[in-house]
Amino acid sequence: MEIIQFIKLIRKNLLLLILVPIILAGLVYYGTQYQDKYYVSSATIYTGLGSGLTLEAQENSRVDYTATRMELDNILNLFKSREIQQEVALSLFIQGLGLKSWNPQFMSRQSYDEFQELVPQYIKDMAVRPGADNFSNYIINVPLILNDTIGLKNKQLFTKNRTYKVQTGESLYTVSSKLGVSASDLMKINTLTSTNLKAGTELIYEREEMLIFSKDNGINDTIPIYIPDPNYYLLAENDSLSFAQTLKLFKEYYADNDTNYIYKLLNHKHKYYSIKAINELSARQVQGSDLLRLAYRTTDPGICKQTLQFSIDAFERNYKKLKENQSDNVVKYFEDKVTETSINLQAAENRLLKFNQDNNIINYYEQTNHISQQKQLIESRYYEELMKFKAADSVLKILDKQLANQKGIAKLNTDMMVYRNKISDITYKIAVNELNDSSDPKTIQAVKDLKAEQINLRKQITQNIDSVFGLQYSHQGVNTSQMLAQWLQNMIIYEETKAGIAALEERRIEFQQTYEQFAPLGAKLSRIQREITVSEQQYLSVLHSLNLAKLKQQNIELQANIKTVDAPYFPISAESTKRKIFIAAAGILGLMLVLFVILVLEYFDKTIKDPSRAKKLSGLDILSVYPLLKKKSTRIDYDFITNRLMEQAVQKMRSLLEAENIHHKKPVNILIFSTQMTDGKSLIQDALTAKLKELGFSVLSANYQLPNYRPKFSFSASKQEKPLVYDIESDTINKSSIQDILGSVHDTSKYDFGLIEIPSVTHNAFSTGLVKDADFGIMVTRANRSWTSSDENSLSGIMQFMKFDPLILLNGVQNEVIEILLGELPRVRNKFRRKIKK
């Protein structure tokens, strides 16, 4: 399609291209004139997942991007969880219940009025209100903000103390309980050194920072530095305590069944208090950082801000609870295992303690080592004493024989038996005490006393011997004093070793019994110690795991401490609407839609339309075309156009007649037919007749008239004479020539041309003789209809009786098609259109 054709197509449908976009734009304009205004608030929170410090690794730590990405996805999805959305919706609803009147920070007047109409009274009565029992909590929970003191004159800061006078019998703890102030704070404020209070003492229990200033009249006045925040539930009737109680109550009521008011409110499509509305909150990561940007959009600025704030609060609580629950079970498991292993270890240690107590064991290995050393020492001393005893016994036997004849030997033996028994007893005691190896001072002193007594007995024995024996030499000539001295020395050795052997023998028996006792104790002790070692290792291992779990728990709690970087703000102005864009888009869409439909219809248009398509569809050459006359158009000269087109038709017709050498025949019979009705045969016949007559030819024009039809009159260009009309009768089909059909005309030879019209060949039968008698055929076809198979069949049926192939004259052709044949049409144009045309 050429651009000029496209422009003409647009011009042809210009009215439609203008009206449809205007109508669509008007509909959008009307539909959006009451459009709601939307407000947007946002907040930023810091997660610290990637850049935050942890207790597990303070330096040189590598970030696990997969785990961090997963945790961040968990956070983003947690904001979209139904539990949080439900809690936020309920919190908003409860806040609305607690408002005494509308406040733009919470909701607008319109939203407040709608809310009051929306909520039934029994739901309002369910909200927990602060009473006298929790009024102190209500006061404590209200945060303080800095008072506005900028415009005050001559300001001076001072502290106002609130005091309490101690009554008789009151202590620091009773006073602190009465005042609601901790005892440590009272001691700190009043610098107390004892918890005992004297009656009449004034205690400072609260200090308030005040500001003294001067008024305009010169009088001084005071004002507190900090005042309660009026936006913190002061406009609401419920404090944080009653708010939490109401939230818990409504959660239970919501979960009770699916038919109650709260359940329906949250699950229907309310614009503020439904889960669907809360789901509009968006959460996204800020450019790959640890920051999350939250945004919410709704029609009420106060509810917009509060929804965002409640969402952050609910998220922090649930996220912290989720993180804590992840490690609580692990910590609880290891705490139970630590308790279990501690009990096992303590039981094993108690068994060891009882074992040592029952067997008198202080240190088994040192004791066994000491016993072994003592046993070896005793064995050595035993054999040493035994050797001394044998030697002394042998010497005594020899000396007894040598002294057998001495005087006084009998008395000496009698006295010596007494002394020997005494010295033997003392020597036994000394040996026993020395073998015990005691470090007791009393034992050491007793050994010293026994040795001193032993020395005294030796002296007594020596004196007794000297008094009994007076002889100096024996019968062998041996000095008697020397013999007695040897006898005395060996006798003492004999008795001492005898007593020592007896004591050592007892100790040997005791050591043997000790060995028999200690031998199996080692195996039992090793088993108990092995049990203690295993229990201790288990205890230490589990204790280490518990410490790691607690460290992990603290680290998780540290990471779960989400910080709000940018708090939600109150949106003052609504965001700009896209109404103008929608209106413009509707207009453009309407324009594009109409243009698209026009182009599609043009592309799929199957009408004949122009001569080239007519020739292609029918296979016949084109004689000429006839324009589609528009009566209202005064800018185009249609008389000139039709006149010129008919001239072309006559010229081409005469050229073809001359080529066939039949132009001298009188009359030249021209058959005018069409395949369909209402193709404009009569109009074309009258136009050709008028043009031939205008050129000086005599013309006979005949139109048909069907039975039972009113007389047919066609339009004549000259308006001076009417064409001849013949009737289509039952025998017309049998007529063999034009003369037979026009029986009323006797002499046709005086006419140069004879134009005869026959009915539609598709819907009516035709005379084959008439068709054969025709010298020239013109098929009239409308340009604004489709060429069908019936047209092709009908044309083929009539062409087999014709002398020559007929030519097509295309009727009702658009102006742009006529320009193909005539060039630029004569019309009135302004300068602008002429330039555009060029």
Side-chain angles (χ1 to χ4, degrees), residues 45-49 68-81 84 283 290 292 294 315 319 322-323 559-560 562:
I45 61 175
Y46 174 71
T47 61
L49 296 177
T68 303
R69 182 71 248 183
M70 186 181 300
E71 187 64 25
L72 188 61
D73 290 340
N74 292 338
I75 292 176
L76 295 176
N77 291 325
L78 191 59
F79 270 106
K80 293 292 185 179
S81 66
I84 288 183
D290 288 340
L292 293 182
L294 309 178
F315 166 75
Y319 184 66
L322 179 66
K323 284 295 185 180
Q559 290 181 337
I562 303 295

Side-chain angles (χ1 to χ4, degrees), residues 584-620:
I588 294 173
L589 179 63
L591 178 63
M592 299 302 295
L593 181 63
V594 174
L595 185 60
F596 174 75
V597 172
I598 291 173
L599 293 176
V600 169
L601 292 177
E602 183 70 16
Y603 179 77
F604 290 102
D605 188 5
K606 298 300 181 182
T607 59
I608 299 173
K609 193 180 298 185
D610 57 51
S612 60
R613 286 174 61 86
K615 182 177 180 179
K616 180 180 179 182
L617 293 172
S618 63
L620 302 177

Side-chain angles (χ1 to χ4, degrees), residues 696-799:
F697 295 103
S698 59
V699 180
L700 174 64
S701 177
N703 298 131
Y704 68 90
Q705 179 175 288
L706 294 173
N708 300 324
Y709 273 69
R710 289 181 298 173
K712 181 178 179 183
F713 298 99
S714 64
F715 169 76
S716 176
S718 64
K719 299 291 183 181
Q720 293 179 357
E721 65 178 277
K722 296 180 181 179
L724 180 66
V725 177
Y726 69 95
D727 295 326
I728 300 297
E729 298 175 343
S730 58
D731 62 342
T732 301
I733 192 173
N734 298 319
K735 302 273 179 86
S736 60
S737 65
I738 296 176
Q739 183 66 44
D740 292 340
I741 293 177
L742 302 177
S744 60
V745 179
H746 302 287
D747 187 10
T748 60
S749 62
K750 65 179 182 179
Y751 295 99
D752 295 321
F753 292 95
L755 277 67
I756 185 167
E757 176 191 10
I758 63 174
S760 166
V761 296
T762 301
H763 303 90
N764 299 277
F766 59 88
S767 171
T768 58
L770 176 63
V771 174
K772 291 178 180 178
D773 191 36
D775 300 314
F776 191 82
I778 299 175
M779 187 180 75
V780 180
T781 303
R782 279 187 298 111
N784 61 347
R785 73 174 181 87
S786 302
W787 182 265
T788 62
S789 299
S790 62
D791 296 320
E792 187 174 351
N793 293 331
S794 299
L795 178 60
S796 176
I798 195 173
M799 283 178 61

Side-chain angles (χ1 to χ4, degrees), residues 517-707:
Q517 179 185 357
F518 265 73
L521 293 181
K524 295 181 180 179
L525 183 63
S526 297
R527 184 170 64 249
I528 296 174
Q529 288 177 340
R530 186 167 55 252
E531 292 177 359
I532 292 175
T533 301
V534 172
S535 299
E536 183 179 14
Q537 290 176 351
Q538 290 179 348
Y539 174 76
L540 293 176
S541 176
V542 175
L543 184 61
H544 177 67
S545 299
L546 176 61
N547 291 332
L548 292 178
K550 286 187 174 181
L551 182 64
K552 183 70 174 179
Q553 184 184 42
Q554 293 297 322
N555 187 59
I556 290 175
E557 292 179 0
L558 180 63
Q559 290 181 337
N561 192 15
I562 303 295
K563 297 296 184 182
T564 301
V565 178
D566 294 331
Y569 59 87
F570 181 83
I572 297 176
S573 59
E575 65 177 355
S576 58
T577 63
K578 298 181 179 179
R579 186 185 182 196
K580 295 180 180 179
I581 298 177
F582 290 155
I583 294 174
I588 294 173
L589 179 63
L591 178 63
M592 299 302 295
L593 181 63
V594 174
L595 185 60
F596 174 75
V597 172
I598 291 173
L599 293 176
V600 169
L601 292 177
E602 183 70 16
Y603 179 77
F604 290 102
D605 188 5
K606 298 300 181 182
T607 59
I608 299 173
K609 193 180 298 185
D610 57 51
S612 60
R613 286 174 61 86
K615 182 177 180 179
K616 180 180 179 182
L617 293 172
S618 63
L620 302 177
D621 290 333
I622 300 298
L623 177 64
S624 185
V625 297
Y626 196 84
L628 178 64
L629 300 178
K630 298 179 181 179
K631 296 181 180 181
K632 293 184 179 181
S633 177
T634 60
R635 309 178 73 178
I636 300 177
D637 190 356
Y638 281 107
D639 292 338
F640 172 78
I641 293 173
T642 55
N643 181 63
R644 184 71 188 97
L645 289 173
M646 289 300 100
E647 284 180 353
Q648 287 183 353
V650 171
Q651 289 174 356
K652 189 170 185 178
M653 181 180 63
R654 292 185 65 189
S655 174
L656 292 174
L657 291 174
E658 289 180 2
E660 298 296 334
N661 199 22
I662 58 175
H663 60 288
H664 296 296
K665 180 186 175 183
K666 286 190 177 182
V668 176
N669 295 321
I670 301 173
L671 181 68
I672 298 175
F673 69 95
S674 67
T675 57
Q676 302 292 335
M677 294 184 295
T678 67
D679 275 341
K681 298 184 295 294
S682 299
L683 176 65
I684 300 302
Q685 182 178 355
D686 290 343
L688 284 173
T689 301
K691 177 51 66 177
L692 288 171
K693 288 181 178 181
E694 182 181 344
L695 295 175
F697 295 103
S698 59
V699 180
L700 174 64
S701 177
N703 298 131
Y704 68 90
Q705 179 175 288
L706 294 173

